[in-house]
Amino acid sequence: MAAWVTRLRSGAFSRPLGRLGASALCSGTPDPPGRRPLQQQQQQEEAAEQKLTRTWQQNGIRNIILNNPRKRNALSLSMLKSLREDLLHDIESTDLRVIIISGEGPVFSSGHDLKELTHEEGKKHHMEVFEICSEVMTLLPKLPVPVIAKVQGLATAAGCQLVASCDIAVVSEKSKFGTPGVNVGLFCSTPAVAVGRSLPRKVVLEMLFTGEPMTAQEALLHGLVSKVVPEDKLEEETLRIAHKICETSRSVLALGKAAFYKQMEQDVSTAYRMTTQVMVDNLALKDGQEGIQAFISKRKPVWSHS
């Protein structure tokens, strides 16, 4: 079983229910003097943290919105943990078919919160920020459902890394992408991992060395994004792709996605040997046979997602 599934089942990624215990939620006993203001402050702090992402799911599509526009949807430690939780929630449910990540406001994400990266925060905190970020980015291709980045506005540094780490990216024509860390003395080394695997070497190195942004059309030309659409068509096109994905078998798609990313890391001969076995495994799936029988019978397949 995949490690992230094990951690999911064990509750390792679950956010605590809150600082208020069951007695505070259920008991009719009045609060001791002086306690209520503290509880209210704690509750307000927790509510603020919970609002860093908003999520809802309908008809197989989970929408996750980075929801801190006042800080340009910076990928703070709290934001990253909230995003991780939203991604992993009930991930094995066949009701979930595709995930869409977007940002509230004019900026998709400006990357890390630089206030968390000051000398005062210390190396331990810095390490935690980058470790959690790397965990989230490497989690995306391992999820059994496709992840779509819906981008309107600016995506820079770790925000650009997030776009590059998603399976599909649909962006508005006014969007821009960049790795400007070099301009503030922090080279975008971790964003370069994902961006460098999406773009040609010389293109990404120019971005990294100069910090200059790339237009949406340039991002499309070089392979960072999947589609560029007018701003007023962004929602429509993203949902069109999501609904199309929902018409397929989840089990077949999950098998295919995992195989695709695995073979990309292999040499051609090894990749063909591995994917040959995957094709045979695909045929052994119930939905693999259902699809073939439906085609032969000239009817629509009825997926069981198994």
Side-chain angles (χ1 to χ4, degrees), residues 216-262:
Q217 289 295 340
E218 289 172 332
L220 178 64
L221 174 66
H222 296 301
L224 180 62
V225 305
S226 311
K227 286 197 173 183
V228 177
V229 297
E231 188 174 344
D232 61 351
K233 297 292 184 182
L234 180 61
E235 178 77 7
E236 178 184 333
E237 180 60 19
T238 306
L239 286 177
R240 185 194 69 79
I241 296 171
H243 286 305
K244 191 66 178 176
I245 290 170
C246 289
E247 295 176 6
T248 65
S249 163
R250 175 184 159 115
S251 59
V252 170
L253 194 148
L255 180 67
K257 176 179 173 177
F260 174 81
Y261 281 109
K262 185 175 182 180

Side-chain angles (χ1 to χ4, degrees), residues 54-64 86 89-90 93-100 235 238-247:
R54 298 200 328 265
T55 183
W56 72 93
Q57 186 170 319
Q58 186 176 14
N59 299 325
I61 302 170
R62 178 175 300 171
N63 286 273
I64 302 175
D86 290 342
H89 174 71
D90 208 13
S93 170
T94 56
D95 292 333
L96 175 63
R97 310 301 306 288
V98 61
I99 296 172
I100 298 173
E235 178 77 7
T238 306
L239 286 177
R240 185 194 69 79
I241 296 171
H243 286 305
K244 191 66 178 176
I245 290 170
C246 289
E247 295 176 6

Side-chain angles (χ1 to χ4, degrees), residues 144-156:
V145 297
V147 182
I148 304 173
K150 183 179 76 172
V151 183
Q152 179 173 313
L154 194 64
T156 58

Side-chain angles (χ1 to χ4, degrees), residues 77 80-81 84 112 116-119 121-136 186 190:
L77 184 59
L80 288 165
K81 289 180 177 179
R84 179 180 64 180
H112 290 295
E116 290 189 338
L117 305 180
T118 61
H119 179 71
E121 292 293 341
K123 289 184 178 181
K124 184 177 180 180
H125 181 79
H126 297 166
M127 183 62 73
E128 184 181 11
V129 169
F130 292 120
E131 285 180 342
I132 294 295
C133 184
S134 296
E135 181 183 333
V136 170
L186 183 63
T190 47

Side-chain angles (χ1 to χ4, degrees), residues 1-8 142:
M1 180 180 295
W4 61 268
V5 174
T6 303
R7 296 178 71 184
L8 171 64
K142 297 175 184 177

Side-chain angles (χ1 to χ4, degrees), residues 70-227:
R70 298 178 73 178
K71 287 195 172 184
R72 298 161 65 89
N73 294 322
L75 295 179
S76 63
L77 184 59
S78 295
M79 174 76 87
L80 288 165
K81 289 180 177 179
S82 185
L83 175 58
R84 179 180 64 180
E85 180 181 336
D86 290 342
L87 289 168
L88 287 170
H89 174 71
D90 208 13
I91 192 64
E92 294 181 290
S93 170
T94 56
D95 292 333
L96 175 63
R97 310 301 306 288
V98 61
I99 296 172
I100 298 173
I101 300 176
S102 60
E104 183 68 37
V107 175
F108 175 76
S109 176
S110 59
H112 290 295
D113 185 348
L114 294 182
K115 291 183 179 179
E116 290 189 338
L117 305 180
T118 61
H119 179 71
E120 288 74 18
E121 292 293 341
K123 289 184 178 181
K124 184 177 180 180
H125 181 79
H126 297 166
M127 183 62 73
E128 184 181 11
V129 169
F130 292 120
E131 285 180 342
I132 294 295
C133 184
S134 296
E135 181 183 333
V136 170
M137 301 302 170
T138 55
L139 173 66
L140 294 170
K142 297 175 184 177
L143 294 177
V145 297
V147 182
I148 304 173
K150 183 179 76 172
V151 183
Q152 179 173 313
L154 194 64
T156 58
C160 187
Q161 179 185 5
L162 179 57
V163 175
S165 298
C166 290
D167 303 310
I168 299 171
V170 184
V171 310
S172 74
E173 56 194 5
K174 294 183 179 179
S175 297
K176 291 187 177 182
F177 307 86
T179 50
V182 68
N183 295 326
V184 295
L186 183 63
F187 197 85
C188 287
S189 295
T190 47
V193 175
V195 179
R197 283 162 170 75
S198 299
L199 295 172
R201 182 180 62 179
K202 289 180 172 58
V203 174
V204 71
L205 285 175
E206 181 182 347
M207 289 177 65
L208 291 165
F209 292 163
T210 67
E212 292 181 347
M214 173 182 288
T215 67
Q217 289 295 340
E218 289 172 332
L220 178 64
L221 174 66
H222 296 301
L224 180 62
V225 305
S226 311
K227 286 197 173 183

